[in-house]
Structures are given as structure tokens and as C-alpha cells.
Amino acid sequence: MYALLLSFAVIFVAELGDKSQLMAMTFATRYRFWTVIAAITAATAVVHLVSVAVGSLLGLALPTRPINIVAGIAFVAFGLWTLRGDELSDDEESRAERSKAPAFFAVAGAFFLAELGDKTMLATITLATQEGWFGVWIGSTIGMVAADALAIGVGALLGRHLPERVIKIGAAILFFAFGAWLLYEGIRG
């Protein structure tokens, strides 16, 4: 349960202001809300299952102290990445706008490709090195879907007038706090 809640919180925060939220809002302007959410859930579940498998194997193979130090550095880097921000590339935006595939497959495919190597995938791998794979998988998947659903809802209500800078700064601060905590644990032993 701890792994699920921690993963939910970390991935939810990581997803705030991420390009996946922009994609979710773009797709929600073309397709029904439930179709977009179902496709995001399917794609996220697959990507995060691969992530927890990689993270679990690394967690078994490596000692805890170095994992904590590397994870702490990774979370600080995720905080900096969050401050830098994410935007849809022209190619990603045009794919989201003109997809001719059935809605579910168009959204799932776009999300699957967008999440490969993204900070949420890397954060999930990092979490899985220390926590139970199943809790991390479920928590990270629910966290990402919840953040994207929130973006769709808020985007529908407020249009493009989201306080993006405040969201980025808040998310970055939480990443820095997680990073500091993991570095402390790793150094302290």
C-alpha cells in the first residue's frame, strides 16, 4: 500500500505540466472523454509495467545505498526537468490533431510513444528499485491517469488559461524534496 500511495503521489506530481497533459487536452477536444481516458490508461499500464520490471531487476541487482543516491540525484534532475518544462513538438501536435485511426488506438499509440523515456517512466523505474513492483505499477498508472484526467477537466473548464508556472514550480519543489530525502537516506546508510 505504501508503494502504491508513494508512486501515485510522485507520478501525479511528475505529470503536472507534462506534455502528456497537453496531449490529453488535445485529444479530448476531438474524442470523447471516456475514450481518451481508457486509451491513456491502457498505454500507461503497459509502459509502467515495463518500467517496474526494469526497476525491480535493478533493485535486486544493486545494493540499497547506491540506489538511494542515484535515485536522489534522479529526482533532483526530474525537478530541474519539470522547471524547464515540456511542450509538444510540431510532429506530436500534428499527429494528435489529424489522426485517422479509431480514437482509442490513436490515443493509446500516441501516449505509448510519448511516454517511452519520459520522466514519468524514469521515475517509475526509480521507484521500483526500492518498492514493491505491483504497488508501484498500480500507483504510477493511477497517478498518471488521474493527472491527465485533471488536465482534461481543468482544460475544458478554463481553456488555455492554466497557471502553468505555479504548477511547474510546485511539482519541482516536491521532486527536490523527494530527491533530498533519498540522498539523505543513501548517504546516511
Side-chain angles (χ1 to χ4, degrees), residues 6 91 100 122 141-142 145 149 156 181:
L6 176 64
D91 183 45
K100 302 276 190 251
L122 299 174
T141 300
I142 294 171
V145 172
W181 175 66

Side-chain angles (χ1 to χ4, degrees), residues 53-71 125-131:
V54 169
S56 292
L57 290 174
L58 287 174
L60 292 173
L62 300 173
T64 305
R65 266 183 92 184
I67 288 176
N68 280 346
I69 292 170
V70 170
I125 290 171
T126 303
L127 288 166
T129 62
Q130 299 176 348
E131 304 297 334

Side-chain angles (χ1 to χ4, degrees), residues 3-186:
L4 186 144
L5 294 174
L6 176 64
S7 298
F8 173 86
V10 168
I11 300 304
F12 183 86
V13 167
E15 197 60 15
L16 295 177
D18 192 65
K19 68 180 176 183
S20 300
Q21 285 190 315
L22 299 173
M23 287 178 64
M25 285 190 279
T26 301
F27 278 122
T29 63
R30 279 195 83 196
Y31 306 120
R32 292 182 313 176
F33 174 82
W34 293 112
T35 302
V36 174
I37 292 299
I40 290 170
T41 303
T44 301
V46 171
V47 170
H48 288 195
L49 185 59
V50 170
S51 301
V52 297
V54 169
S56 292
L57 290 174
L58 287 174
L60 292 173
L62 300 173
T64 305
R65 266 183 92 184
I67 288 176
N68 280 346
I69 292 170
V70 170
I73 292 168
F75 275 96
V76 170
F78 297 152
L80 293 172
W81 188 348
T82 300
L83 286 175
R84 179 186 63 96
D86 255 345
E87 293 181 10
L88 291 177
S89 69
D90 292 337
D91 183 45
E92 289 170 327
E93 193 168 342
S94 68
R95 264 189 301 194
E97 289 174 358
R98 64 186 159 105
S99 175
K100 302 276 190 251
F104 178 86
F105 295 108
V107 176
F111 266 83
F112 179 82
L113 294 173
E115 286 306 306
L116 293 177
D118 195 45
K119 69 182 169 192
T120 52
M121 181 182 188
L122 299 174
T124 302
I125 290 171
T126 303
L127 288 166
T129 62
Q130 299 176 348
E131 304 297 334
W133 74 269
F134 188 74
V136 172
W137 177 48
I138 298 299
S140 65
T141 300
I142 294 171
M144 184 164 165
V145 172
D148 289 340
L150 176 67
I152 292 169
V154 171
L157 291 174
L158 301 178
R160 302 241 184 249
H161 304 296
L162 300 174
E164 188 176 334
R165 181 146 174 80
V166 172
I167 291 171
K168 282 182 184 180
I169 291 171
I173 288 169
L174 289 172
F175 270 124
F176 294 145
F178 279 122
W181 175 66
L182 287 168
L183 283 169
Y184 172 76
E185 290 289 317

